[in-house]
Amino acid sequence: MLRRLFTSESVSIGHPDKVADQISDAILDAMLRVDPNSRVACETLVTTGMVVVAGEVNCKGYVDIARIVRETVVAIGYDAGDLGFDGHSCSVLVSLDQQSPDIARGVNADKASGKDLGAGDQGMMFGFACRETPSLMPLPIDLAHRLAARQTEVRRNGLIPHIRPDAKSQVTVEYENQRPVRVHTVVLSTQHGPEWNERQDQLRSAVIEHIVNPVLGEWLNDGTTIHVNPTGKFELGGPQADCGLTGRKIIVDTYGGRGRHGGGSFSGKDPTKVDRSGAYMARYIAKNLVAADLADVCEVQLSYAIGVAVPTSILVDCQGTARIDEQKLAALVTEHFNLTPRGIIDTLKLRQPIYQVTACHGHFGRSPDEGGEGTFSWEKTDMADTLRAAAGQLQGATA
């Protein structure tokens, strides 16, 4: 029997890198509200008492950047000086330039010449899906995200007093013959006030009761190792303790290390940037192929050249679980999905201000809000029946 361990991590909405991601996407959403065709590449840095916003944008409307920054930081939970970071009083520095005309000329459509909207950059993107969870996400990252989200819920509801916004989770799952059987190890580190400094044993008990057990439930057993604040103290956190940057949690944002990553980050980028929109489309394709029962595991790679509409390559890799030949699956993808930047944007309705809510607890495998209402367009399985029928016809034609 083959046994192995696999680990994934997540971070809370108050982790400095995620603060930066949420600010960048809040600015993107604001620009899309005033101009749905905005071009945005917005980077954020957060550190002690300071937020720096920089990048390149084209937007036909006014956006109050400083107000958006402050509102976002306060909503996350950094709203008082004793937390080490306060959205009401931190300095906000803004340096936004126009998008390079050399990039714009490659991306912009031209009706006169028949040129379609081009990709905003070169690169490769991956999407992944598997049968380990109802959301077709790998179990370790799914559980890690749920722990991080639960920490935020518990903090906001006051179930554990004096815990603070910054937190990290990590889950190690034990597999038998590729099937998850139990949680081997859990790590949950949560920032807290000075009230807990000499009461870490009590905090550990509260975290297990209110965060770990409600999320992990059946996956725990007597052999599971649980670490809560393993350094012994986590009072100093957030941007005061650690500089945060947009795009520094790309594995947290995707599949927790399960499946490959093209290297491009997501937050602060409008949908002409295919390292974001292409990754969303690759997830949409992979999830629908698995939902169509054409594979148990599916990874889709797309690649693009800057300024070119048609992808330079399409790969479907089902890791030995495909029901039909993977080249035929790739042909189905080409036939049934419009993979040009315009096609992706239109299919997934990506010119809407939907991005700030993607910037915490992962871009995949969840609903737009913590209550579970609605579905991100790239998480829908509305193409599964079409793909299943097309694959059946393809098999019948080659039998």
Side-chain angles (χ1 to χ4, degrees):
M1 181 179 295
L2 176 63
R3 290 179 179 268
R4 66 184 180 95
L5 302 176
F6 193 87
T7 302
S8 296
E9 72 160 350
S10 185
V11 297
S12 72
I13 65 171
H15 184 281
D17 293 331
K18 279 290 134 193
V19 174
D21 283 345
Q22 289 167 89
I23 291 171
S24 291
D25 272 338
I27 292 168
L28 168 62
D29 282 349
M31 291 186 175
L32 290 174
R33 287 188 184 98
V34 300
D35 178 9
N37 292 308
S38 292
R39 300 282 172 78
V40 182
C42 179
E43 313 292 341
T44 302
L45 177 150
V46 295
T47 188
T48 304
M50 180 183 295
V51 177
V52 180
V53 177
E56 301 78 40
V57 302
N58 284 343
C59 177
K60 297 177 181 178
Y62 173 72
V63 172
D64 188 340
I65 303 294
R67 178 184 60 81
I68 291 167
V69 168
R70 296 187 186 283
E71 289 178 352
T72 303
V73 172
V74 169
I76 288 169
Y78 292 114
D79 56 2
D82 63 353
L83 297 175
F85 195 68
D86 183 1
H88 298 295
S89 60
C90 66
S91 63
V92 179
L93 306 180
V94 180
S95 179
L96 292 173
D97 296 319
Q98 284 194 329
Q99 183 188 56
S100 164
D102 294 336
I103 296 175
R105 69 189 299 269
V107 177
N108 292 343
D110 183 355
K111 290 183 179 180
S113 67
K115 179 184 177 298
D116 198 0
L117 188 74
D121 202 352
Q122 70 176 48
M124 63 282 191
M125 307 87 214
F126 290 94
F128 185 85
C130 65
R131 294 194 181 281
E132 293 180 14
T133 62
S135 63
L136 304 185
M137 286 287 285
L139 182 63
I141 190 64
D142 180 77
L143 294 177
H145 283 324
R146 288 165 57 193
L147 285 172
R150 177 64 179 172
Q151 187 272 350
T152 298
E153 180 184 0
V154 165
R155 172 177 62 85
R156 287 175 168 169
N157 292 340
L159 291 177
I160 303 177
H162 310 301
I163 62 171
R164 293 179 171 179
D166 196 358
K168 298 183 77 172
S169 62
Q170 184 171 286
V171 177
T172 301
V173 172
E174 181 176 340
Y175 289 78
E176 290 182 358
N177 296 329
Q178 311 300 321
R179 184 175 63 88
V181 294
R182 74 181 185 102
V183 169
H184 179 277
T185 303
V186 183
V187 184
L188 197 292
S189 296
T190 179
Q191 185 189 13
H192 57 77
E195 296 84 358
W196 291 109
N197 283 346
E198 307 302 324
R199 300 166 54 213
Q200 288 292 312
D201 287 345
Q202 295 176 50
L203 179 58
R204 169 186 163 82
S205 297
V207 165
I208 291 174
E209 177 184 356
H210 293 292
I211 299 176
V212 176
N213 287 342
V215 170
L216 300 185
E218 64 184 278
W219 293 106
L220 299 174
N221 62 26
D222 292 339
T224 300
T225 300
I226 301 176
H227 297 287
V228 175
N229 288 356
T231 67
K233 181 182 176 182
F234 187 8
E235 181 182 355
L236 189 65
Q240 182 185 25
D242 184 16
C243 178
L245 296 171
T246 298
R248 202 160 60 177
K249 286 291 177 283
I250 60 175
I251 301 303
V252 170
D253 284 346
T254 52
Y255 308 102
R258 179 81 183 276
R260 288 165 283 193
H261 196 293
S265 62
F266 299 155
S267 289
K269 298 178 180 179
D270 76 84
T272 66
K273 278 73 171 176
V274 287
D275 40 4
R276 181 174 211 163
S277 55
Y280 289 176
M281 179 57 96
R283 163 65 175 172
Y284 179 57
I285 295 167
K287 187 172 185 180
N288 274 275
L289 288 172
V290 172
D293 298 319
L294 299 179
D296 294 326
V297 177
C298 184
E299 184 176 74
V300 173
Q301 185 199 47
L302 306 175
S303 68
Y304 291 86
I306 187 168
V308 179
V310 179
T312 59
S313 69
I314 302 167
L315 174 69
V316 177
D317 180 2
C318 298
Q319 301 177 14
T321 70
R323 308 283 192 267
I324 66 173
D325 184 81
E326 290 168 339
Q327 291 186 351
K328 294 179 180 178
L329 290 178
L332 288 178
V333 169
T334 301
E335 179 181 356
H336 292 281
F337 296 90
N338 185 338
L339 300 179
T340 66
R342 185 183 302 280
I344 294 171
I345 290 169
D346 291 346
T347 298
L348 300 182
K349 300 178 175 59
L350 297 181
R351 291 205 185 276
Q352 303 177 65
I354 58 173
Y355 295 101
Q356 185 178 354
V357 292
T358 69
C360 55
H361 309 146
H363 291 244
F364 306 123
R366 67 180 187 89
S367 301
D369 62 86
E370 294 171 7
E373 294 296 325
T375 303
F376 288 126
S377 58
W378 53 90
E379 289 296 310
K380 294 180 179 179
T381 54
D382 51 353
M383 287 294 293
D385 289 343
T386 297
L387 292 170
R388 186 184 299 111
Q393 294 174 356
L394 192 61
Q395 287 181 300
T398 58

